[in-house]
Amino acid sequence: MQKELTFPKWINHKTFGIFISILFLILIFYNININQFISSIKSFNIKYALPAIIIYALSYIIRTFRWRQLLSVSKKISFLGVLKALYIGYMANTLLPARMGELYRAHIIGTEQKITRSGALGSIVAERIFDGLTLVSLMIILIMFFYKSPLLVHICIVTSLIFLTGLAVIVFISRSENLNYSFITGILKALPEFLQNKIEKILKSFIVGLGVITSFRSLLFIVFTSICAWFLEWTTIFCIISGFDIPTKVTPLTVAFLIVLVAFSTMIPSGPAFIGPYQYAFILALDLSAVPKDTALAIAIATQFIMIGPVVLIGLILSWHSHLSLKELPEESQSETT
């Protein structure tokens, strides 16, 4: 009898993420001028921090309106209820590996608003697809007119196919719900009955959550809010960069490219707060405006504190107020409510 291949308990998604972060940190700190890095940090004008925080907070309000629209397929939910789940979810995404915050969001909104977690998770998948399409569209524009790099073209093609496929799936599901239920039932017949019923129930709820495109007006609203949210994020980072004493001018196009790289860097498995890939994205993007590596790292760290710091603080306060535990939720989040 062949022995089953097993791995030590310490080899898991957490240690893998930390390993990836260490690799990126080696790339970041290789040949860096620590004195120049400290000098760049000190050069930041703190008066730019408050407007940046306010602008970034506005992007969360826009994202709340968008997610509320996506959730309306399952149930009409109050603005504050959606905003609370959004902050806690983004906080968990920052502190925990493997984007566990998405499960947190589904858990919180499902439990408090009495909707299925799989349906809520479906709306989050739709949200991420629209975010991806917005960023890919921006990348296509940048590559076509400004940065004609073969590597970027290949990345753009691959990511475009992924997100366009996701959008096509959402459109198909939202327009042919009954057909999909029959299709699922046919596939699941090969499984044991108890397992068949469980999976079918979860998948049907998930499909309901994905059924977002109920009208052209709804689609237009989601696209518009997606663009607005990313524009506000671009404005936030541009505001922070403006607070640094940089000898070279960082163009708005460079910041737009930075937004794309930073967003994709958070999809890479890493340690808490996306440490490693997040900072390296700043170094790569700001190099287009000839910003030194040590200065780019200083900008990355300042940006992370200003943008992510308040989100984590608000998320932790809301979690404490709701008596939620970061240790307990991962297990609960993966169960299904009926």
Side-chain angles (χ1 to χ4, degrees):
M1 184 176 179
Q2 189 175 4
K3 188 176 180 180
E4 184 180 354
L5 181 62
T6 58
F7 294 95
K9 290 183 178 180
W10 61 270
I11 300 179
N12 51 46
H13 63 280
K14 294 181 181 179
T15 54
F16 179 71
I18 292 172
F19 175 72
I20 295 296
S21 288
I22 291 172
L23 288 181
F24 273 97
L25 287 174
I26 292 172
L27 290 173
I28 290 168
F29 284 99
Y30 174 73
N31 199 26
I32 199 169
N33 188 324
I34 297 297
N35 291 329
Q36 184 59 44
F37 164 72
I38 295 172
S39 177
S40 297
I41 287 286
K42 290 180 178 179
S43 75
F44 179 67
N45 191 335
I46 196 66
K47 74 177 184 180
Y48 286 87
L50 182 58
I53 291 171
I54 293 172
I55 294 168
Y56 193 52
L58 290 175
S59 75
Y60 272 73
I61 292 175
I62 296 294
R63 289 182 181 277
T64 300
F65 278 116
R66 182 184 64 172
W67 191 28
R68 188 167 179 253
Q69 177 65 31
L70 290 167
L71 287 166
S72 66
V73 176
S74 301
K75 184 181 178 181
K76 294 288 184 182
I77 302 173
S78 70
F79 176 85
L80 291 179
V82 177
L83 181 64
K84 171 186 171 182
L86 188 73
Y87 264 107
I88 294 176
Y90 273 68
M91 173 272 295
N93 264 346
T94 301
L95 299 182
L96 301 175
R99 300 196 73 87
M100 187 65 73
E102 313 298 20
L103 292 178
Y104 271 67
R105 280 210 274 163
H107 168 80
I108 295 164
I109 209 74
T111 302
E112 296 192 349
Q113 304 300 330
K114 308 303 179 184
I115 62 175
T116 56
R117 294 186 189 120
S118 51
L121 191 58
S123 70
I124 294 171
V125 170
E127 179 189 83
R128 289 307 184 188
I129 287 174
F130 280 103
D131 274 338
L133 288 171
T134 304
L135 291 170
V136 167
S137 300
L138 177 58
M139 184 185 286
I140 290 172
I141 294 170
L142 290 170
I143 290 173
M144 286 178 60
F145 297 102
F146 307 104
Y147 307 123
K148 297 182 179 179
S149 163
L151 176 61
L152 292 179
V153 171
H154 291 145
I155 293 173
C156 185
I157 291 172
V158 172
T159 52
S160 297
L161 288 174
I162 292 172
F163 289 110
L164 285 173
T165 300
L167 179 62
V169 169
I170 290 178
V171 172
F172 176 74
I173 287 173
S174 65
R175 296 300 181 187
S176 53
E177 187 176 296
N178 292 332
L179 173 63
N180 281 280
Y181 283 2
S182 302
F183 180 68
I184 289 172
T185 303
I187 293 177
L188 296 178
K189 282 182 179 179
L191 299 175
E193 187 175 352
F194 76 95
L195 191 59
Q196 180 184 141
N197 294 335
K198 179 69 174 177
I199 295 176
E200 184 177 357
K201 188 176 182 180
I202 293 173
L203 287 179
K204 283 185 176 182
S205 298
F206 192 69
I207 285 175
V208 170
L210 283 175
V212 56
I213 307 176
T214 55
S215 67
F216 179 75
R217 183 179 177 181
S218 175
L219 174 62
L220 194 62
F221 178 80
I222 294 165
V223 171
F224 175 72
T225 49
S226 297
I227 294 171
C228 288
W230 285 106
F231 174 75
L232 288 170
E233 190 153 335
W234 173 87
T235 307
T236 302
I237 294 181
F238 193 79
C239 180
I240 294 170
I241 292 175
S242 299
F244 281 87
D245 183 15
I246 305 173
T248 59
K249 182 180 179 181
V250 178
T251 66
L253 292 174
T254 297
V255 179
F257 184 66
L258 171 60
I259 288 291
V260 175
L261 283 190
V262 168
F264 289 139
S265 75
T266 61
M267 298 179 186
I268 299 173
S270 60
F274 316 113
I275 187 170
Y278 186 94
Q279 290 78 16
Y280 195 67
F282 273 78
I283 293 171
L284 287 179
L286 292 176
D287 185 59
L288 295 171
S289 289
V291 176
K293 184 178 181 181
D294 34 58
T295 303
L297 178 59
I299 294 172
I301 291 174
T303 302
Q304 206 162 19
F305 270 103
I306 292 171
M307 291 177 66
I308 298 179
V311 173
V312 171
L313 179 60
I314 293 171
L316 288 172
I317 292 172
L318 291 173
S319 297
W320 171 79
H321 183 265
S322 301
H323 307 289
L324 299 173
S325 169
L326 291 179
K327 294 181 179 179
E328 296 171 1
L329 271 177
E331 296 179 2
E332 296 180 12
S333 298
Q334 298 178 57
S335 64
E336 176 62 22
T337 54
T338 56

